[in-house]
């Protein structure tokens, strides 16, 4: 799956991930109205609106990007109906040949991590038959519990040729409270990153490991250091756009080969029609605004990478 | 909800949580057979077996304990059908007046943590109507992302009078990889614990905060230290039984008032009939074995607490 991700990045020339994190407040009125008319003002109605909104965006941008990253919390909040919309979204993205990074930030120990891994990346058995449940291609994972929490995910990834992005340095303002604490003279996240590189050595593609890391766009200095400490680790970079990151800040997350990082934008893509810059797109044409936002983001990042050369 | 938890602990005299973490391998053949006959060897069949197994145990032990802790991974692995079994389990435990601790170990930032909090502890809005989705009473949360990840959960908890248990020092062998790293001369988990106490001050019950901590039974020295550093924090203690913890190791997790900690056992209760000690219970009577295991665990912990006096 890391091969597919890299191939698609090369083909689209876009190291860009669209974060499918739909809030109801992002969804244009005409979609909400239709879903509520059909299913009532219910969890089913809300989940249908989420799915219809996603579908519009996916249809509009799938040829431009290698991957999407649905944030499961935005679906899970609507309970079972929301989880169905999550599953529909994953399946539909696969129909469009997109790589799906499940932003699930799970993490537990032993058989519990194994259960998360089976449900999201692998297979489960019922009697004599096996099934894939949510079936993402990559999943984000929280490292706080150490190797016991990560290894069961890696075991499933090896079997399924799938991958992970493990939280190293997150993009939010308070990420430093624990992640930046100095230990042995260095911030904790450096140790986590070195551990990610170590874990990743178990499951290598050609030039990059299937086991990646998350390093936020809002901490470019950390990106520079982590690029050096984890040369074969793909870095998933959240925090572009709405959270403040710009293409020029991100060049050091990439290796000299122009690979090694993939930048996520959520609100900046899926709710682009709400930004001043794209206000000429009407809410009815929200998906066209998303397409323009992807093109602009790709140009911004590629421009910055070209300038580095 | 912290009031209810404490009241029920006093009433049952059992600071005990039953971990509803059903693996298919724990489920007696007669239950599996019936579910597969009814729904086929499908995800629906597996999820039904999980639910039937849980129901038997809940019916057998609900009067002995204050709370249950379903581990959502064990349900999520079966996809949508598994999530339905999770929801049924939560609802049924509420019918039996049990406090439900959702062991979800979620953690993200800002609006994403808010979405998890809404879906598991709070309410979501669809048009002009509001709904509770999964509706647990407490949830476990991962602190790696710092205050940005925790505050949205606390905000919902305040509104709903619900609570959290935040991971501080987990019970697994590799928990020390990051949690024990020395920073300022002390292990990281002490800083996390102090932060939990600080967060907890925002949302106090009478003597204890709604915001608790997880400290594993397998690290009794950590339990002793954390008890002192977080005097008003309820400690959820995993790792009893199957993971190696015993009542005598746990007295220092409790305050002088005999409160302040609640000990979880999963496999040791729900799969008790598979242990040598309870082998005289047949698989058909697995729920009776669970009841005996709860009684024995309660006696072990109460005995140890009495000896301390």
């Amino acid at each position: 799956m890391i091969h597919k991700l890299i191939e698609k990045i090369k083909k689209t020339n876009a190291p860009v991930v669209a974060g499918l994190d739909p809030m109801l407040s992002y969804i244009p009125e005409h979609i909400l109205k239709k879903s509520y008319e059909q299913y009532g003002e219910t969890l089913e109605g809300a989940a249908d609106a989420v799915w219809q909104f996603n579908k519009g965006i996916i249809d509009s941008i799938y040829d431009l990007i290698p991957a999407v990253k649905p944030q499961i919390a935005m679906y899970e909040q609507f309970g079972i109906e929301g989880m169905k919309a999550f599953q529909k979204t994953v399946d539909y993205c696969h129909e469009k040949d997109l790589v799906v990074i499940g932003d699930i930030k799970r993490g537990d120990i032993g058989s519990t991590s194994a259960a998360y891994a089976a449900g999201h990346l692998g297979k489960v058995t019922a009697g004599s038959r096996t099934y894939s449940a949510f079936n993402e291609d990559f999943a984000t994972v929280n490292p706080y519990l150490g190797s016991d929490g990560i290894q069961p995910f890696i075991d499933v990834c090896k079997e399924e040729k799938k991958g992970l992005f493990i939280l190293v340095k997150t993009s939010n303002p308070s990420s430093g409270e624990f992640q930046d604490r100095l230990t042995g003279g260095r911030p904790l996240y450096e140790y986590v990153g070195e551990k990610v590189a170590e874990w990743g050595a178990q499951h290598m593609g050609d030039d990059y490991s299937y086991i990646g890391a998350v390093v936020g766009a809002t901490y470019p200095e950390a990106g520079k250091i982590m690029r050096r400490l984890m040369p074969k680790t793909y870095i998933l970079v959240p925090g572009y756009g709405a959270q403040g990151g710009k293409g020029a800040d991100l060049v050091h997350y990439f290796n000299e080969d122009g690979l090694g990082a993939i930048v996520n934008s959520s609100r900046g893509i899926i709710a682009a029609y709400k930004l001043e810059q794209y206000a000429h797109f009407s809410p009815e044409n929200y998906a066209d605004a998303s397409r323009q936002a992807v093109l602009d983001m790709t140009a911004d990042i590629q421009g910055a990478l070209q300038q580095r050369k």
Side-chain angles (χ1 to χ4, degrees), chain A:
Chain A
M1 205 38 83
I2 188 72
H3 298 97
K4 180 170 178 179
L5 180 65
I6 292 172
E7 253 171 51
K8 285 189 69 87
I9 291 169
K10 285 181 180 164
K11 197 177 139 201
T12 56
N13 210 20
V16 167
V17 186
L20 299 176
D21 312 0
M23 314 247 291
L24 286 184
S25 60
Y26 299 168
I27 303 182
E29 199 48 41
H30 71 281
I31 293 179
L32 285 169
K33 193 163 170 273
K34 203 172 157 194
S35 296
Y36 287 148
E37 272 171 14
Q38 191 164 359
Y39 298 102
E41 289 183 341
T42 58
L43 294 173
E44 198 178 358
D48 183 69
V50 163
W51 153 243
Q52 299 296 344
F53 175 70
N54 282 352
K55 186 172 178 301
I57 292 170
I58 297 160
D59 285 341
S60 177
I61 66 173
Y62 75 93
D63 58 319
L64 300 179
I65 55 172
V68 292
K69 180 173 76 61
Q71 165 52 260
I72 201 169
M74 295 305 173
Y75 305 83
E76 200 168 322
Q77 66 179 326
F78 299 112
I80 305 297
E81 296 301 329
M83 296 302 268
K84 288 185 195 167
F86 178 80
Q87 178 146 43
K88 270 191 202 171
T89 299
V90 172
D91 292 348
Y92 191 69
C93 289
H94 280 151
E95 276 179 40
K96 295 289 180 185
D97 202 34
L98 287 160
V99 172
V100 178
I101 302 166
D103 197 355
I104 62 173
K105 295 192 179 66
R106 301 301 194 244
D108 211 292
I109 56 174
S111 58
T112 311
S113 264
Y116 279 131
H120 286 279
L121 301 169
K123 294 186 184 70
V124 287
T125 299
S128 57
R129 303 185 56 187
T130 59
Y131 296 91
S132 294
F134 293 113
N135 200 26
E136 300 106 292
D137 303 312
F138 287 84
T140 58
V141 174
N142 186 309
Y144 189 67
L145 293 91
S147 298
D148 300 328
I150 301 296
Q151 194 62 48
F153 277 96
I154 297 179
D155 293 343
V156 169
C157 285
K158 280 173 153 174
E159 202 156 307
E160 304 284 338
K161 296 203 185 305
K162 293 191 171 179
L164 303 177
F165 290 100
I166 298 171
L167 303 188
V168 170
K169 171 69 180 165
T170 56
S171 60
N172 55 305
S174 78
S175 71
E177 280 175 15
F178 306 127
Q179 297 166 25
D180 289 5
R181 283 210 73 92
L182 292 181
T183 165
R186 296 194 300 160
L188 176 69
Y189 68 78
E190 290 192 20
Y191 286 90
V192 178
E194 285 178 347
K195 205 77 195 167
V196 169
E198 204 182 303
W199 289 323
Q202 285 182 51
H203 188 25
M204 282 297 298
D206 294 334
D207 296 322
Y208 289 96
S209 172
Y210 284 81
I211 309 304
V214 173
V215 182
T218 42
Y219 298 101
E221 278 309 305
K224 204 167 176 174
I225 293 165
M226 297 321 297
R227 180 65 293 159
R228 190 169 43 75
L229 289 180
M230 319 179 296
K232 292 175 187 300
T233 303
Y234 236 88
I235 303 178
L236 173 65
V237 188
Y240 179 91
Q243 284 184 54
K246 290 189 302 287
D249 300 329
L250 301 182
V251 291
H252 299 297
Y253 292 71
F254 290 82
N255 277 320
E256 294 298 320
D257 58 5
L259 296 169
I262 187 152
V263 183
N264 179 77
S265 172
S266 299
R267 225 179 318 165
I269 294 177
I270 67 172
Y273 78 102
K274 294 202 159 216
L275 300 172
E276 210 185 313
Q277 195 182 348
Y278 302 111
H280 55 287
F281 292 97
S282 68
E284 283 72 22
N285 299 320
Y286 74 100
D288 297 331
S290 296
R291 186 174 177 89
Q292 191 56 49
V294 168
L295 290 168
D296 292 346
M297 178 179 170
T298 304
D300 175 39
I301 293 170
Q302 284 301 352
L305 286 174
Q306 290 301 326
Q307 274 206 324
R308 178 172 70 162
K309 279 181 186 165

